[in-house]
Amino acid sequence: MSSNTELIRSMTLYGGFPIFICGTIGNLLNIRCLWRNRHNPCVFIILSASIINCIVLFYGLFTRILSVGFNLDWSSTNLIWCKTRVALSQAGYFMSLTCVCLASIDRFLISCRQEKYRNLSRLSFARWAVFVTIIFWLIHSLPELIYGTIIKNPYTGLTFCSVISPPAHMNYRLYISLPVYLGLLPSIILIITGLMTYRNTNKLQITRQREIIQKQLTKMMLIQIPIIVCSTLPYVIFTEYTVFSATIIKTSNQRTIENIITNIFTLLFYMSFACSFFVFFISSNSFRQEAKLFFLCHRTNLFRNIQIQPHPLPTIRDTTL
């Protein structure tokens, strides 16, 4: 059993730390590289998602690394931290996926031939959509903030943070919130809008327009969809299986295998919040040029700072009369 625990700990450390570090730096680079274009509706939504992703990676993944990897679980001793971690991490999951769906819908609207649909892609609409998204999911996570509590295991004596809510809310989380809002709905929206965007770009008559939209936007869409689907659905499906099979008597080997699989799918789940920068860098030429320009400017400034400045020549005074 100790070897299995050590395996899970090693997986969390060596798998979780790279995801957290690369994801946090990548989201910050998204903000830096896209900031000048923040008045574009789609870019504004992506910037909002990048900020939310940083919060998700901290409250969700980083605290998990501390808990599993270093046995530093503040949520098991501090009630306020327990409540805020559960509520903000869950709200962050939904906010981030909703922003990705909004950006996908915006790309579909801007690719339509009808002007009435293209006019819906406005910065004012994007701001209101992001604002409503944040407020809605914060309100949606209020029960976790209210019912989050610290529980003591009667067999081991260890304490842990959990949500003990009324049966109606527990059923809602089990049958609607987790499988629909986190799994099926974002995947369906991304797949449908991606296919419709691809269809619209193929109908464009101007070759230059087709090249710009299809290469810069559709590639980002097609790469994002499998990443989100493949990282989110396994986590949702296996979590549902774990909950439904909790009353079944299992051997210690079965529980160990399930714990390992849960850890793998949990780390994979956070990939969808950490990979956006790398998706944009690979699929978008303009974003890649902006990122390269950012790195080159910093490297140039660094070289300028470490250059050896020539000593000024001594001033020779003219002593002749």
Side-chain angles (χ1 to χ4, degrees), residues 91 94-95 98 132-142 181:
F94 295 131
M95 289 179 194
T98 304
V132 171
T133 296
I134 294 174
I135 297 300
F136 175 80
W137 289 122
L138 286 177
I139 296 175
H140 181 270
S141 299
L142 280 179
Y181 298 155

Side-chain angles (χ1 to χ4, degrees), residues 14-288:
Y14 298 114
F17 257 126
I19 296 175
F20 171 73
I21 294 174
C22 295
T24 303
I25 295 176
N27 283 298
L28 293 177
L29 288 175
N30 284 343
I31 299 172
R32 173 60 182 83
C33 295
L34 296 174
W35 184 255
R36 68 170 63 185
N37 298 318
R38 62 188 180 275
H39 298 294
N40 180 283
C42 184
V43 172
F44 176 81
I45 297 173
I46 293 175
L47 286 173
S48 303
S50 298
I51 297 173
I52 295 171
N53 287 342
C54 291
I55 299 175
V56 169
L57 291 174
F58 175 77
Y59 274 95
L61 181 57
F62 183 65
T63 54
R64 179 179 178 83
I65 294 173
L66 293 179
S67 175
V68 178
F70 301 99
N71 293 323
L72 297 175
D73 189 3
W74 299 325
S75 62
S76 63
T77 56
N78 190 308
L79 182 60
I80 297 178
W81 179 255
C82 169
K83 291 176 176 291
T84 54
R85 179 184 181 273
V86 173
L88 290 180
S89 59
Q90 176 180 280
Y93 302 151
F94 295 131
M95 289 179 194
S96 178
L97 292 177
T98 304
C99 285
V100 174
C101 293
L102 290 175
S104 178
I105 294 172
D106 179 84
R107 289 196 287 267
F108 159 69
L109 293 174
I110 206 66
S111 68
C112 291
R113 302 180 66 181
Q114 293 84 355
E115 186 177 357
K116 62 179 180 179
Y117 294 125
R118 293 198 304 270
N119 290 336
L120 295 176
S121 177
R122 297 180 182 178
L123 180 61
S124 58
F125 289 169
R127 287 175 175 172
W128 272 107
V130 172
F131 176 76
V132 171
T133 296
I134 294 174
I135 297 300
F136 175 80
W137 289 122
L138 286 177
I139 296 175
H140 181 270
S141 299
L142 280 179
E144 279 69 23
L145 188 64
I146 296 173
Y147 297 111
T149 185
I150 298 175
I151 301 176
K152 185 176 182 180
N153 191 319
Y155 301 101
T156 61
L158 300 176
T159 58
F160 60 95
C161 179
S162 182
V163 178
I164 306 299
S165 58
H169 180 257
M170 294 296 293
N171 292 331
Y172 170 77
R173 291 183 61 192
L174 182 61
Y175 297 108
I176 298 178
S177 181
L178 181 63
V180 177
Y181 298 155
L182 197 61
L184 294 177
L185 191 58
S187 301
I188 292 174
I189 292 176
L190 289 175
I191 291 174
I192 292 177
T193 53
L195 293 175
M196 296 177 70
T197 302
Y198 185 80
R199 184 197 63 178
N200 289 342
T201 54
N202 284 334
K203 291 182 179 180
L204 292 176
Q205 299 297 325
I206 303 177
T207 306
R208 182 61 179 170
Q209 282 184 328
R210 180 185 301 179
E211 180 182 354
I212 294 175
I213 295 178
Q214 188 161 324
K215 288 186 177 181
Q216 303 294 320
L217 300 179
T218 308
K219 280 186 179 180
M220 295 169 61
M221 178 80 64
L222 295 178
I223 295 177
Q224 280 181 319
I225 289 174
I227 291 177
I228 292 178
V229 172
C230 294
S231 62
T232 304
L233 286 184
Y235 171 79
V236 173
I237 293 173
F238 198 78
T239 302
E240 291 287 316
Y241 161 77
T242 303
V243 173
F244 282 115
S245 63
T247 57
I248 300 176
I249 299 176
K250 303 176 183 178
T251 63
S252 59
N253 290 333
Q254 287 178 321
R255 294 186 180 277
T256 300
I257 294 174
E258 289 183 1
N259 290 334
I260 294 174
I261 296 176
T262 299
N263 192 68
I264 294 174
F265 285 161
T266 301
L267 294 177
L268 185 64
F269 172 70
Y270 286 104
M271 286 291 295
S272 59
F273 307 101
C275 66
S276 59
F277 170 79
F278 306 98
V279 171
F280 300 155
F281 189 86
I282 293 173
S283 59
S284 174
N285 183 58
S286 59
F287 184 87
R288 187 161 54 248

